[in-house]
Amino acid sequence: MDTILASPDNFDISMTPTTACVAFEFPNPQSFSLQDLPDHVLLEVFKALDRSELCSAAAMVCRRWYRLAYSPSLWKRVDVHVSKSSEESLSHVLDAISAAIRNLALTKDDETTDSVIAAILPSSMPSLTVLDLGFMKGLTLSMLDLFIDRCPHVRSLNLEGIKEVCDQTLVLIASPSAWPLLEELCISHCLAVSDAGLSAISVSSKRLRCVNVDGISQLSDESIERLAISQKDHLERLYLDGLELSDQAILPLMECKNLSLLSVSFCENLTDCALGYIKEMAALSHLHLRKGTEMSENGFRQLFAQPNSMASLRFLNLSECNAINDRCIEAISLCCPNLEALCLSWCWSVTERGLITIVERLGKCRLLCMEGIKSIFGGCLLGGELGTSFRDSIRFINLHNCNAIDDTTVTEMVRRKKDLIVINYYGEILDHISIDRSAPERNHSAYRDKVNEILKDLPGGCCMTAI
């Protein structure tokens, strides 16, 4: 969404009506009230309300407002935190909207028991396709069984960071009766999962398009191979922790002809051999290789040598790959002219020459992260006729810890381009409105959250490091 940031207390939020506009003549302003608004306009007002306000205040005004407050269009995504004290009110709300909810994110207090969850969860949620239980405390197998029974059509499941998720959990999910439509599974940072659990879900009847096992460093090459072979006709997005993986884990992924995203964090054991395998993955549009310390300049230049399959790339993250230098940037710019996001954070061998290459040749780049690079000065981001297309397209630049870039350059960049967001040397967020404000205002938590929201919504925002 092309939203221009302002101060923490003055965000510009664009809204799109959910129904077609109809002719409407406002009454005398002196007698006008919210009751005079047509339904589709009042719904847009309700979208700006907190969900608790919607239920406890707006829905209580009149029958019309009650009907609109529980309109399915307002409840497609619901975020719920369960506590013992909220049991009764949550049960009432969720029952009222059970048929409309498509995306449910649920967390709970430590003391919230399975019986409380059973009491607040509707008996049936037929439209629910996305279930987010990420970082839930105390998830039990019986509670998971409850979700399986009452939310049978889940396609996307997030169990990120739940310490109770283990091999038994995945065996339960792998059973034919559990979520037969499941396509996306995130078990990132579920540290109790081992090869046995991943193997169970890999060879199940599920057709998995997306699997996220980043942050699980104990998985072996063999378990990744089993996943790749079993799901080769379905797998489109794969997130791995590379700490214990070798090149042999990457080899079988060549058989996944639909693989469009490959992300490997801490790929310190991967070598140029792995880059050779990646080169054969013709469908890749996202490639994230973080901390590839054993990969060489020649390996990267071969990966991006023309002509080859990497021409399909639109989003590229090579942060902390210390062999990346200006010659590699040259190869990337020639091979991948359609890049929309590029992250080179802490690639210390990149200099101003590499930045000039990016500005001159990557005219579709919207997101650029150069964090921690000491040898760039940034003059090319402003100057002359060079990089006109780049400067038209760019929306976000991270220059945190780039101590050679003068503050004046950053200031001038954001003054010239009204939709540009820049992270400066100090980690402060700057846009054309906030630039004249104080550092505390620039770093207000609500303001940073809004920037992260925009990055998340922009294609390729997943390539950027957290701010």
Side-chain angles (χ1 to χ4, degrees):
M1 179 172 64
D2 292 337
T3 303
I4 299 174
L5 291 180
S7 68
D9 300 317
N10 184 28
F11 296 129
D12 174 15
I13 302 174
S14 301
M15 291 185 177
T16 303
T18 56
T19 59
C21 290
V22 296
F24 177 71
E25 185 175 344
F26 281 94
N28 186 329
Q30 293 180 343
S31 62
F32 174 74
S33 74
L34 283 176
Q35 292 285 16
D36 296 315
L37 292 174
D39 284 0
H40 74 275
V41 176
L42 198 54
L43 279 171
E44 293 301 322
V45 175
F46 284 0
K47 283 182 180 179
L49 295 179
D50 180 84
R51 291 300 175 258
S52 61
E53 296 172 335
L54 196 59
C55 298
S56 62
M60 300 295 104
V61 171
C62 62
R63 289 184 179 181
R64 177 188 174 221
W65 281 35
Y66 182 92
R67 172 177 57 82
L68 292 175
Y70 287 103
S71 171
S73 65
L74 298 178
W75 296 96
K76 291 179 181 178
R77 175 181 170 87
V78 179
D79 296 318
V80 174
H81 180 75
V82 184
S83 63
K84 181 65 177 175
S85 61
S86 66
E87 178 182 345
E88 186 175 343
S89 59
L90 281 176
S91 177
H92 169 75
V93 172
L94 291 178
D95 274 340
I97 60 175
S98 60
I101 304 175
R102 298 180 185 176
N103 185 328
L104 175 65
L106 190 144
T107 58
K108 69 181 188 66
D109 291 342
D110 286 339
E111 62 272 15
T112 302
T113 63
D114 292 10
S115 60
V116 172
I117 297 296
I120 68 108
L121 202 65
S123 59
S124 176
M125 303 176 75
S127 300
L128 189 72
T129 57
V130 179
L131 179 59
D132 183 356
L133 304 178
F135 301 100
M136 176 184 276
K137 301 175 181 179
L139 178 68
T140 65
L141 290 178
S142 59
M143 192 182 301
L144 197 62
D145 251 332
L146 190 68
F147 284 107
I148 290 171
D149 178 56
R150 301 190 186 184
C151 315
H153 302 129
V154 168
R155 293 177 179 270
S156 177
L157 176 65
N158 179 22
L159 302 176
E160 179 179 6
I162 302 177
K163 65 181 182 180
E164 292 83 8
V165 170
C166 60
D167 294 340
Q168 276 186 295
T169 311
L170 295 187
V171 169
L172 173 59
I173 296 171
S175 63
S177 58
W179 292 315
L181 302 178
L182 189 68
E183 298 176 337
E184 301 182 1
L185 175 64
C186 176
I187 50 173
S188 171
H189 296 88
C190 293
L191 302 183
V193 170
S194 72
D195 284 351
L198 182 59
S199 296
I201 198 73
S202 297
V203 300
S204 71
S205 58
K206 308 290 189 281
R207 298 184 174 187
L208 298 175
R209 294 191 301 109
C210 176
V211 176
N212 187 339
V213 291
D214 195 5
I216 308 179
S217 59
Q218 64 268 27
L219 298 178
S220 68
D221 291 349
E222 290 74 23
S223 66
I224 303 305
E225 179 180 10
R226 193 173 292 109
L227 172 66
I229 292 173
S230 302
Q231 299 291 333
K232 66 179 182 179
D233 295 328
H234 315 298
L235 201 58
E236 296 176 10
R237 305 195 305 279
L238 179 61
Y239 302 80
L240 302 173
D241 187 309
L243 193 60
E244 297 296 329
L245 300 181
S246 73
D247 296 335
Q248 292 306 304
I250 307 301
L251 175 60
L253 296 178
M254 294 168 56
E255 300 300 316
C256 301
K257 300 304 181 184
N258 297 314
L259 193 65
S260 62
L261 184 152
L262 176 62
S263 173
V264 189
S265 61
F266 299 101
C267 48
E268 296 163 274
N269 293 320
L270 302 189
T271 70
D272 292 353
C273 187
L275 294 178
Y277 300 148
I278 292 170
K279 185 176 179 179
E280 302 303 317
M281 299 177 190
L284 280 185
S285 58
H286 292 69
L287 177 61
H288 305 172
L289 298 173
R290 295 181 289 281
K291 214 166 187 177
T293 55
E294 298 302 310
M295 299 169 180
S296 72
E297 174 193 337
N298 184 60
F300 281 113
R301 291 177 70 183
Q302 287 299 314
L303 175 64
F304 296 106
Q306 290 186 318
N308 75 67
S309 59
M310 291 297 102
S312 300
L313 278 183
R314 294 168 57 210
F315 313 107
L316 179 62
N317 184 337
L318 299 174
S319 56
E320 297 185 81
C321 292
N322 51 22
I324 295 292
N325 57 23
D326 296 345
R327 289 181 290 275
C328 296
I329 301 300
E330 176 87 8
I332 290 170
S333 70
L334 292 171
C335 175
C336 311
N338 296 315
L339 276 185
E340 296 179 36
L342 177 61
C343 181
L344 301 171
S345 61
W346 307 104
C347 294
W348 289 326
S349 297
V350 175
T351 72
E352 184 74 1
R353 178 64 254 174
L355 181 58
I356 290 172
T357 300
I358 292 169
V359 172
E360 287 181 342
R361 295 183 179 172
L362 296 181
K364 297 182 180 180
C365 188
R366 292 163 60 82
L367 306 163
L368 178 63
C369 183
M370 308 291 281
E371 181 177 5
I373 301 179
K374 309 291 186 181
S375 301
I376 57 174
F377 305 97
C380 60
L381 296 169
L382 297 173
E385 296 300 319
L386 296 179
T388 302
S389 296
F390 172 88
R391 284 193 292 273
D392 285 344
S393 68
I394 195 71
R395 289 288 314 282
F396 171 80
I397 304 178
N398 189 343
L399 301 173
H400 188 207
N401 285 311
C402 297
N403 58 358
I405 295 185
D406 189 270
D407 285 348
T408 307
T409 301
V410 175
T411 302
E412 187 60 24
M413 285 165 56
V414 296
R415 289 199 191 282
R416 290 186 186 185
K417 187 167 172 56
K418 303 301 184 185
D419 62 352
L420 181 64
I421 303 165
V422 178
I423 309 300
N424 69 6
Y425 169 77
Y426 304 101
E428 298 169 349
I429 302 167
L430 302 177
D431 75 327
H432 81 286
I433 296 175
S434 70
I435 191 168
D436 295 319
R437 299 183 180 273
S438 66
E441 287 180 297
R442 296 171 183 170
N443 290 296
H444 191 282
S445 59
Y447 192 61
R448 299 183 77 82
D449 288 346
K450 190 64 180 179
V451 174
N452 274 317
E453 234 178 77
I454 290 175
L455 281 182
K456 184 178 67 175
D457 290 341
L458 285 173
C462 57
C463 297
M464 300 294 107
T465 53
I467 62 169

